């Protein structure tokens, strides 16, 4: 015990201690490293899931896998070094689905242009943070809508997972119905769901990653996966790196004119919601939040997130955001940015094998989407469902996101309903001008869509 303490103190007396202030936060190098490994294991599934989602937008899967690792590595290391917070980042679940299924597939925006939108949203996020406008946006959104957006995105992700697995299919009579679960694809997905569920209830940190791997092996055994014909090369990253089309963003015309504003708004708004919610959860659990309920170094954290999104877009992936799985590392004792740095270094090492993510079938990643979606429903407990002022806007937000396959529609219905109910109850005041401005913009959007 004495030797361990002495060794830890010696390490903490050096450069790491000076930068990360571990002693001040009651931790040591060994604990931070183990916490970093824990965080990585809980979120490593994104290396397999993100390429599967963005691949459906026509992006090269191997390239997206490499870009996912690079973006997560860069962002997590930057967060640790700049903000000294045990917060890891990676391409966000929900926003990658919006990117692939809504922006590219439904709106017909080419994926390089969509990447350009992600980049510009990162620039906008940085400007809003530097100018303080971010505080204005956050201040007009009630807590129940923050929770509803998180829950709605969870249902959206879970629904996509069930669809990818073939468990839920289109039905001309009822819109959706149950697929043939005895077919190889759905059966494998159910097997993966059982594996992940079993490991999760036993508190296995890498439950989702293990489940994806075992389901992929099963898919190989039954012949649903074949070996790639192209040799492995780290150069796969060039398939998406610097392929973003910023000029194309500003060149969008016709039906994409207003659609461009919607895309930018959703990327920016959801990233903002996701970050605030994650920051509150992780910093509160880590004991880093001050007595007034404020997060120390919040601007540095948000600026890091904005830069990470821009770099991620240049590498070739959707919006990079803070991960709530960072709480697992905090639970393991992580209290400083060294936890995030270790997690980032592990993502960097993973980049050298990331292109093989194309070997993972949708049936293997779909169960992870279902589980992640379910876990994202927890914030819904924060909604006062007995209060119509909170319950009605929250329900509309939660329901409209998966049912219309659009995060934008959920946000629009929720914010507009909140503003309208506030007005009709006579609680509106001049300080709500920004809320009603947002609601008016959403109403104008609905009118434009109806006339188009």
């Amino acid at each position: 015990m004495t030797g361990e303490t002495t060794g830890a103190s010696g390490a903490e007396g050096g450069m790491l201690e000076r930068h990360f202030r571990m002693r001040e936060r009651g931790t040591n190098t060994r604990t931070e490293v183990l916490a970093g490994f824990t965080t990585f294991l809980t979120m490593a599934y994104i290396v397999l899931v993100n390429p599967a989602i963005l691949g459906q937008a026509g992006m090269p899967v191997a390239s997206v896998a490499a870009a996912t690792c690079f973006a997560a590595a860069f962002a997590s290391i930057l967060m640790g070094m700049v903000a000294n917070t045990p917060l890891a980042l990676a391409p966000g679940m929900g926003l990658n689905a919006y990117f692939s299924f809504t922006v590219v597939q439904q709106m017909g925006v080419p994926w390089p242009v969509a990447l350009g939108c992600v980049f510009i949203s990162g620039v906008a996020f940085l400007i809003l943070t530097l100018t303080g406008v971010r505080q204005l946006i956050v201040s007009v959104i009630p807590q129940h809508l923050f929770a509803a957006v998180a829950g709605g995105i969870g249902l959206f992700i879970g629904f996509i997972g069930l669809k990818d697995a073939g468990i839920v299919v289109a039905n001309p009579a009822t819109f959706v119905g149950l697929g043939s679960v005895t077919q190889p694809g759905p059966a494998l997905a159910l097997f993966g769901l059982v594996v992940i569920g079993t490991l999760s209830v036993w508190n296995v940190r890498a439950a989702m990653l293990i489940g994806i791997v075992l389901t992929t092996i099963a898919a190989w055994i039954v012949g649903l996966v074949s070996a790639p014909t192209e040799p492995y090369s780290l150069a796969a990253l060039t398939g998406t790196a610097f392929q973003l089309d910023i000029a194309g963003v500003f060149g969008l015309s016709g039906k994409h004119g207003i659609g461009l504003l919607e895309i930018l708004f959703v990327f920016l708004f959801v990233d903002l919601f996701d970050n605030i919610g994650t920051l509150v959860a992780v910093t509160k659990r880590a004991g880093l939040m001050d007595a007034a309920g404020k997060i120390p170094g919040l601007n540095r954290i948000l600026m890091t997130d904005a830069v990470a999104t821009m770099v991620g877009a240049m590498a070739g992936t959707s919006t990079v955001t803070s991960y709530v799985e960072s709480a697992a590392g905090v639970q393991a004792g992580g209290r400083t940015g060294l936890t995030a740095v270790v997690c980032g270094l592990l993502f960097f090492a993973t980049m050298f094998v990331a292109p093989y993510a194309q070997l993972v079938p949708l049936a293997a990643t779909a169960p992870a989407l279902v589980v992640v979606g379910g876990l994202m429903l927890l914030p819904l407990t924060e909604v006062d469902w007995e209060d119509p002022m909170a319950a009605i806007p929250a329900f509309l937000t939660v329901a409209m996101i998966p049912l219309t396959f659009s995060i934008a529609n959920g946000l629009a219905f929720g914010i507009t309903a909140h503003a309208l109910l506030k007005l009709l109850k006579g609680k509106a005041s001049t300080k709500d001008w920004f809320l009603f401005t947002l609601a008016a913009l959403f109403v104008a959007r609905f009118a434009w869509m109806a006339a188009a």
Side-chain angles (χ1 to χ4, degrees), residues 3-154:
E4 180 181 344
T5 303
T6 303
S9 298
E12 292 169 3
M15 182 179 64
L16 291 178
E17 167 58 26
R18 288 194 298 272
H19 185 82
F20 294 110
R21 307 195 309 276
M22 288 181 284
R23 188 179 308 158
E24 175 187 322
R25 298 189 181 183
T27 183
N28 56 51
T29 304
R30 178 178 179 275
T31 299
E32 293 295 303
V33 170
L34 289 177
F37 268 89
T38 301
T39 298
F40 172 77
L41 289 175
T42 59
M43 58 186 288
Y45 67 88
I46 194 64
V47 178
L48 303 177
V49 175
N50 195 49
I53 292 177
L54 297 188
Q56 296 183 64
M59 299 181 69
V61 174
S63 302
V64 174
T68 299
C69 290
F70 176 80
F74 172 85
S76 298
I77 293 173
L78 186 66
M79 180 65 75
M81 296 301 295
V82 173
N84 194 22
T85 301
L87 200 65
L89 298 89
M93 294 295 295
L95 282 171
N96 53 6
Y98 176 73
F99 180 104
S100 180
F101 298 108
T102 302
V103 177
V104 176
Q105 294 187 39
Q106 289 188 6
M107 300 179 70
V109 178
W111 65 260
V113 177
L115 284 178
C117 289
V118 172
F119 181 86
I120 294 172
S121 73
V123 174
F125 197 107
L126 182 61
I127 293 173
L128 291 178
T129 301
L130 292 173
T131 59
V133 177
R134 168 189 54 80
Q135 292 90 331
L136 178 62
I137 296 176
V138 174
S139 66
V140 301
I141 307 301
Q143 183 59 40
H144 59 264
L145 283 187
F146 275 95
V149 168
I153 292 175

Side-chain angles (χ1 to χ4, degrees), residues 93-420:
M93 294 295 295
L95 282 171
N96 53 6
Y98 176 73
F99 180 104
S100 180
F101 298 108
T102 302
V103 177
V104 176
Q105 294 187 39
Q106 289 188 6
M107 300 179 70
V109 178
W111 65 260
V113 177
L115 284 178
C117 289
V118 172
F119 181 86
I120 294 172
S121 73
V123 174
F125 197 107
L126 182 61
I127 293 173
L128 291 178
T129 301
L130 292 173
T131 59
V133 177
R134 168 189 54 80
Q135 292 90 331
L136 178 62
I137 296 176
V138 174
S139 66
V140 301
I141 307 301
Q143 183 59 40
H144 59 264
L145 283 187
F146 275 95
V149 168
I153 292 175
L155 287 176
F156 187 29
I157 292 173
F159 180 65
I160 290 171
L162 293 171
K163 182 183 76 70
D164 287 348
I167 296 173
V168 172
V169 296
N171 185 303
T174 60
F175 292 104
V176 293
L178 180 66
S180 178
V181 295
T182 58
Q183 293 297 312
L188 277 172
L190 290 174
F191 166 75
L193 192 57
V194 170
V195 171
I196 294 175
T198 302
L199 294 175
S200 296
V201 298
W202 283 99
N203 296 318
V204 177
R205 297 293 189 190
M208 280 182 281
L209 186 61
I210 294 172
I212 291 173
V213 171
L214 291 181
T215 308
T216 299
I217 292 174
W220 271 76
I221 293 174
V222 300
L224 290 184
V225 179
S226 57
T229 56
E230 298 181 2
Y232 162 74
S233 173
L234 189 59
L237 182 60
T238 59
T240 55
F242 300 106
Q243 298 299 313
L244 70 168
D245 183 3
I246 296 178
V249 173
F250 295 104
L252 289 175
S253 59
K255 65 177 181 179
H256 289 141
I258 296 180
L260 167 63
L261 297 178
E262 174 185 312
I263 293 168
L264 292 174
F265 180 76
V266 171
F267 281 145
L268 175 64
F269 206 54
V270 175
D271 191 21
L272 179 65
F273 273 33
D274 195 47
N275 266 283
I276 295 298
T278 300
L279 287 173
V280 169
V282 174
T283 55
K284 179 179 279 190
R285 183 172 296 188
L288 300 178
M289 189 177 291
D290 63 23
K294 295 182 179 179
I295 302 171
L298 178 60
N299 281 345
R300 289 198 302 273
I301 294 173
L302 293 177
M303 284 191 287
T304 298
D305 180 272
V307 172
T309 289
M310 290 186 283
V311 171
M314 289 189 287
T317 186
S318 53
T319 305
V320 175
T321 188
S322 305
Y323 261 59
V324 74
E325 284 84 351
S326 302
V330 170
Q331 190 69 31
R335 294 294 182 271
T336 76
L338 183 56
T339 294
V341 170
V342 170
C343 182
L345 291 174
L346 291 171
F347 270 115
F348 180 76
T350 306
M351 187 172 68
F352 291 88
V353 296
Y356 285 111
Q358 60 188 309
L359 302 179
V360 181
L362 286 177
T365 56
L369 293 180
V370 174
V371 173
V372 170
L375 294 175
M376 290 181 69
L377 297 181
L378 178 61
L380 293 180
T381 59
E382 301 172 11
V383 179
D384 183 0
W385 294 104
E386 295 184 355
D387 179 9
M389 281 289 294
I392 294 174
F395 171 75
L396 288 173
T397 302
V398 172
M400 295 303 288
I401 289 177
L403 293 181
T404 65
F405 234 64
S406 169
I407 299 173
N409 288 338
L411 288 170
F413 269 84
I415 292 176
T416 303
H418 173 67
L420 183 59

